Amino acid sequence: MNSGRIRVVGPGELGEGERERWRALRAASEAPRNPFMEPEFTEAVGLFRPGARIAVVYEGPEPAGFLPYERGPLGQGRAIGLGVSDAQGAILRPGLDLETGELLKACSLSSWAFDNLEAEQRLFVRYAAEEYATYVIDVEKGYETYESVLRAQSPKFLKTTLAKERRLGRQAGELRFVFDERDPAALRTLMEWKSAQYRRTGRRDRFAQEWITRLVGQLARTRAPECSGTLSVLYAGERPVAAHFGLRSASVLACWFPSYDPEFAKFSPGLVLHLRMAEAAAAAGIGTLDLGRGAAEYKDALKTGELPVYEGAVTRPGVGAALHWLSREPARRAHSFVRSRPQLASLAARTLKGAARLRRT
């Protein structure tokens, strides 16, 4: 599809020159080089999501911008991989003259929704309805410097975790950490742990959705300089006790799916795993671990800082935009109401866990 200077294509239809231009624009961006924003992630999603598209914006013969997205019924659009992608937005030449209305019209979209929009996305940030924190670990100056930060901000946490790591090794077998494990059986084990964790905590099981399972499998085989699937595993003897699957670029490790064997919960193997991931990432020249949006005790313990991400939608006048508002805004307002009241949020969490237990009985 073509509309003036904007061409819409499927993810598999980009030429290598266009991919290189995408990467060059991304390298020139002020944003961290998050692998979710690379062409390889969009192309992987496109294998399993039939509505996946890319709008290519031209200045003369040269591509000057890309917007990966998914198109749904009545032209309702969403960020590529929304629900699992932890960094979203357009890849644009700095200063590009582009209006959201022009872009959505060319894509035949009535709306475009996002839930992890990068802070540097000036074209879309003004349409945000909510701001959230994504938690980061800075290892730019090396792992030893990171450990010294942890000792200063949470000395008890670091001391306790390292002690648990030693006890785990004594009681379960010698510990071995693999930063980039290629064994498919280890990935299957991680997905089984994660599914059980989702059910245990009353959350929607992402791996019950076939497209997500297949996407993770595809990305586990992806080896590109700025988007490489990375499975990290902590073994005790020959037995995996904690694992994580994420994506890495040359400078960012995007943490995605961490989990552990509940049998070893008292040793906090997930925390031990994250410390070893930080150490290995620093050794590989990676400066940032992005733990993603969503508050969690382990993130509070491990983080060195926070970055903002945004949720919201751009809409065009019409039926599709009205449907988007009706489907999203009431739920968003309810969530905001609950989050602003800690006692109510705590009750909601207990209710979800109780519901999960009832489903298992």
Side-chain angles (χ1 to χ4, degrees), residues 44-114:
V45 172
L47 295 173
F48 311 110
R49 302 289 285 176
R53 301 286 186 274
I54 301 170
V56 186
V57 185
Y58 287 87
E59 285 183 321
E62 177 117 350
F66 302 85
L67 176 69
Y69 66 94
E70 296 180 42
R71 189 177 187 276
L74 296 176
Q76 294 183 73
R78 47 191 273 166
I80 195 79
L82 189 142
V84 293
S85 58
D86 284 351
Q88 299 158 1
I91 298 85
L92 305 175
R93 180 186 66 74
L96 177 66
D97 181 19
L98 182 65
E99 296 293 331
T100 55
E102 176 191 7
L103 186 56
L104 265 61
K105 183 178 180 181
C107 298
S108 300
L109 294 179
S110 56
S111 61
W112 183 73
F114 49 85

Side-chain angles (χ1 to χ4, degrees), residues 138-150 158 162 165 272 274-280 282-283:
D138 181 357
V139 291
E140 187 73 40
K141 296 179 180 178
Y143 179 73
E144 292 77 14
T145 300
Y146 170 56
E147 267 203 357
S148 69
V149 171
L150 287 183
L158 182 61
L162 294 177
E165 180 178 25
V272 174
H274 277 83
L275 290 179
R276 296 304 135 237
M277 285 165 52
E279 184 177 31

